[in-house]
Amino acid sequence: MHAITISEPGGPEALVWAEVPDPQPGEGEVLVEVTASAVNRADIMQRQGFYDPPPGASAHPGLECSGRVAALGPGVSGWAVGDEVCALLAGGGYAEKVVVPAGQLLPVPQGVDLKRAAALPEVVCTVWSNVFMVAHLRPGETLLVHGGSSGIGTMAIQLAKAVGAKVAVTAGTKEKLERCAELGADVLINYREQDFVAEIKDATGGAGADVILDNMGAKYLDRNVQALAVNGRLAIIGMQGGRKGELNIGTLLAKRAAVSATSLRARPLEEKAAIVAAVKEHVWPLFAGGHVRPVVDREMPMSEAAEGHRVVEESGHIGKVLLVTP
């Protein structure tokens, strides 16, 4: 088969479409013939040499895919060769074939075509696990999403609106904010021109956001805590703004607020399987009802993954960038 390889860390040019050995499914695993994968920030970090795959995972980048079941490993039940699926991966999605633990497989949701289903597993599992399983967003509360036009952001808007929450977003251009509004965002904040702390306070009558989904990390830490409501919850899922920040414990105590930080890739298989099962139960029916949809900016051949990385690094996209196999 062919896959994207990284001979040494570097720029997008380090991604090379090359012939590699076919993977073989082991106990409890399924072999998927890949239709499409999607570009995530974690893939860029791996290419740069900052985010190695966990032990035992494929060396090829790609944290999600869609495709058809090609073979079943020993001990797998509930799936059959030919099933159309999408999958949460620890790596290996940028390839013509990938091995997936059976607990991380999902059927393609009703109303979504096979190719576009590749835009779902990583973002839906990230949003559901952080915003709902950890931060417990409830109907009537306010969610602030940083990077509202990203893959994560566009999904967070839709899921929060589906459960009856109010949604505020930050983004850097008028076009991106308009797309967020089309998805249901109620409060639009241009972070280049406006102070999101002041804007979220104004939009909530001084209360602040009940839940904040943050991809920036250190750069926004203090301001995020300022923007939280009493009993607010800050969920950190990225470090685009740095690793180390200063936390005002006094403010946190006064608000009886909480800060959590999670990642998906290195979690134990049973934890990822539990998240995937929750997504299937709670989110997949929303696709069938037309309440939620994948947001895809563009698609390109997987052999041109380097261009996909350039687009995402430059933030020149809204939603997901798909990589499609030949």
Side-chain angles (χ1 to χ4, degrees):
M1 72 168 190
H2 284 78
I4 290 292
T5 61
I6 306 171
S7 57
E8 59 182 30
E13 67 281 354
L15 301 175
V16 178
W17 186 243
E19 192 167 350
V20 300
D22 285 17
Q24 301 298 322
E27 181 75 27
E29 295 180 330
V30 174
L31 180 67
V32 174
E33 185 176 307
V34 175
T35 297
S37 185
V39 180
N40 288 285
R41 292 277 176 183
D43 304 328
I44 293 171
M45 292 175 62
Q46 178 176 337
R47 189 205 75 218
Q48 295 170 332
F50 300 131
Y51 194 20
D52 292 336
S58 170
H60 309 304
L63 299 183
E64 58 193 337
C65 75
S66 63
R68 294 179 176 86
V69 173
L72 304 177
V76 174
S77 61
W79 299 100
V81 172
D83 284 348
E84 293 191 344
V85 298
C86 55
L88 180 69
L89 308 171
Y94 290 16
E96 292 177 321
K97 297 177 183 178
V98 65
V99 164
V100 186
Q104 291 167 222
L105 277 181
L106 286 157
V108 172
Q110 185 179 340
V112 179
D113 66 51
L114 180 60
K115 190 186 300 181
R116 293 171 72 88
L120 297 177
E122 177 73 12
V123 297
V124 177
C125 288
T126 296
V127 172
W128 190 260
S129 61
N130 283 278
V131 175
F132 297 94
M133 297 174 74
V134 175
H136 303 291
L137 181 70
R138 294 181 287 268
E141 291 191 322
T142 298
L143 169 69
L144 170 60
V145 182
H146 290 301
S149 63
S150 66
I152 294 287
T154 54
M155 184 54 60
I157 294 167
Q158 295 180 82
L159 292 183
K161 293 301 292 184
V163 302
K166 181 178 180 178
V167 180
V169 298
T170 64
T173 70
K174 179 181 178 181
E175 178 193 8
K176 289 182 176 182
L177 288 171
E178 288 174 348
R179 289 294 299 276
C180 292
E182 291 171 4
L183 293 170
D186 304 286
V187 181
L188 310 175
I189 304 169
N190 187 324
Y191 67 81
R192 300 182 192 277
E193 301 173 356
Q194 298 169 288
D195 175 9
F196 73 79
V197 178
E199 295 297 326
I200 196 66
K201 292 281 190 179
D202 183 63
T204 57
D210 299 289
V211 176
I212 299 177
L213 184 62
D214 175 58
N215 61 350
M216 293 300 291
K219 184 178 180 180
Y220 278 9
L221 180 59
D222 181 63
R223 294 165 68 201
N224 276 332
V225 173
Q226 292 178 42
L228 281 176
V230 173
N231 296 313
R233 292 85 73 194
L234 168 61
I236 301 172
I237 58 169
M239 301 180 292
Q240 294 181 42
R243 293 169 175 263
K244 296 181 179 180
E246 186 170 299
L247 179 63
N248 188 324
I249 302 297
T251 304
L252 202 66
L253 284 169
K255 293 186 174 187
R256 302 186 296 281
V259 178
S260 63
T262 73
S263 64
L264 271 175
R265 190 178 196 182
R267 287 193 183 203
L269 295 182
E270 59 271 19
E271 290 187 17
K272 286 192 273 191
I275 292 169
V276 168
V279 162
K280 182 181 178 182
E281 177 183 357
H282 298 287
V283 182
W284 255 219
L286 298 175
F287 287 99
H291 303 292
V292 178
R293 61 182 176 85
V295 178
V296 175
D297 185 277
R298 68 192 76 183
E299 59 185 61
M300 57 189 65
M302 192 172 287
S303 58
E304 299 175 14
E307 179 58 25
H309 275 222
R310 290 188 183 97
V311 170
V312 173
E313 283 187 272
E314 294 168 1
S315 294
H317 65 297
I318 294 173
K320 299 300 289 281
V321 173
L322 296 187
L323 304 176
V324 182
T325 57

